[in-house]
Amino acid sequence: MSGTFELRGKRVFVAGHRGMVGSAVVRRLASEDCEVLTAGRDELDLLDQQGVRRWMADRRPDAVVMAAAKVGGILANDTYPVDFLQDNLVMQTNVVDSAFRNDVGKLLFLGSSCIYPKLAPQPIPEDALLTGPLEPTNEWYAIAKIAGLKLCQAYRRQHGVDYISAMPTNLYGPGDNFDLTSSHVVPALMRKAHQLKLQGGKALSVWGSGKPMREFLHVDDAADAMVWLLKNYSGDSHVNVGSGEDITIADLARTIVSVVGAEATITFDATKPDGTPRKLMDVSRLFATGWRPRYGLSDGLEQTYGWFLRHIDKGDIRLGAA
Ligand code: GFB
């Protein structure tokens, strides 16, 4: 780690502040002495290059956190390859380009652990990037995220600006998407277990074999790591952001059943994909700086379920079809 960025007195634009990650970054920045800039979709369409340039020229942020992205779980990634590739390429290019044109000195780009090869060594070090073929279910999203981190590197190299990238593992927490067709595994299983509890159902349907392993990080920890990197990191390489521990999907399902308090047994739906067998990230570069997550998985799931229960009847959770 080298280089520091003082947040005090700065104007920080969080792109994607309505999403799970962006909203967590806004919450985290509230304890820094900086001004947080956000823009709703009605005010700023990140797919509109001229609009982004105008907005950035008008609002003049000092720093940008690029947390806006078209995101989704394994099925959504597999079903909408154009959206995951094209929307992400366009949005991130517009934001990084406009930031540079408007003298933004510091930018943090947010990627994903799916940038790494499907069969990368475990835990996955940062330099495993581009050493092998990607996982086919999410290669579209991965290619966009690889392009984003490379764009930041390119700006560093060609223009000498301090644009950095963080690659978080699978995130979950308040503000997640609980729509069963497009969500990630944690909100999907939490919602299904909750419905079983209410309706007295007995079988929790888990997609795939239950054997894949995943590493999970609570979104408030991810946001904390991102602000930490914004303030303390200045380097060419992207930085992995994770908890350093993984779990099988079957064990995750059992933990969620217990957190929710549902009396359910687990069944496996072999018609759904497993995706990559394992993607535990090597977080030694981040941990060497002294940063650690605060939530263990059970605590984080309990906190998230508490949030879900408080919001389920208010209509402010993305639920989609049941
Ligand atoms: O979270 P998830 O959709 O994404 O799925 P990925 C993780 C694992 O959980 C897969 C299994 O093996 C799924 O088959 N799973 C079991 C379920 N039950 C369910 C369920 O009800 N819903 C869902 N969604 N999964 C995504 C990428 O991959 O990870 C994205 O597609 C992104 O691009 C994200 O990188 C972090 O971990 O497989």
Side-chain angles (χ1 to χ4, degrees), residues 74 77 112 114 138 141 170 183 185 192 207 214 273-274 279:
I74 191 165
N77 268 265
S112 162
C114 70
N138 59 30
Y141 182 68
N170 289 38
S183 64
V185 62
K192 288 190 220 174
W207 292 358
R214 291 291 183 275
D274 266 347
K279 47 178 173 180

Side-chain angles (χ1 to χ4, degrees), residues 11-181:
R11 292 158 65 79
V12 184
F13 171 40
V14 180
H17 75 288
R18 294 238 166 90
M20 175 175 71
V21 180
S23 57
V25 172
V26 170
R27 283 198 296 281
R28 173 61 187 79
L29 284 173
S31 56
E32 300 290 329
D33 196 7
C34 64
E35 183 186 349
V36 177
L37 307 180
T38 59
R41 229 168 254 187
D42 43 340
E43 180 188 348
L44 176 63
D45 176 3
L46 296 176
L47 294 169
D48 169 12
Q49 185 189 56
Q50 295 306 324
V52 179
R53 286 183 183 173
R54 270 196 307 275
W55 190 91
M56 206 83 82
D58 186 39
R59 305 299 300 274
R60 309 291 305 185
D62 301 297
V64 170
V65 176
M66 180 46 181
K70 168 82 183 163
V71 298
I74 191 165
L75 200 59
N77 268 265
D78 212 17
T79 314
Y80 304 106
V82 174
D83 299 358
F84 278 82
L85 179 59
Q86 184 169 286
D87 288 5
N88 283 311
L89 283 172
V90 172
M91 283 192 285
Q92 70 204 25
T93 306
N94 286 347
V95 168
V96 176
D97 159 79
S98 299
F100 176 70
R101 285 167 181 268
N102 290 285
D103 305 319
V104 170
K106 185 95 190 193
L107 180 143
L108 173 68
F109 174 73
L110 188 65
S112 162
S113 59
C114 70
I115 60 165
Y116 292 114
K118 178 183 173 100
L119 300 176
Q122 308 286 323
I124 313 172
E126 281 87 352
D127 64 9
L129 183 69
L130 295 174
T131 55
L134 298 164
E135 155 60 32
T137 53
N138 59 30
E139 66 181 324
W140 322 97
Y141 182 68
I143 294 274
K145 290 296 185 182
I146 293 168
L149 79 87
K150 285 289 172 194
L151 188 63
C152 291
Q153 271 179 7
Y155 269 97
R156 292 184 77 82
R157 190 161 302 186
Q158 190 173 330
H159 297 297
V161 286
D162 194 4
Y163 293 2
I164 59 172
S165 302
M167 297 299 126
T169 188
N170 289 38
L171 305 178
Y172 69 94
D176 211 340
N177 166 22
F178 289 81
D179 168 14
L180 297 181
T181 57

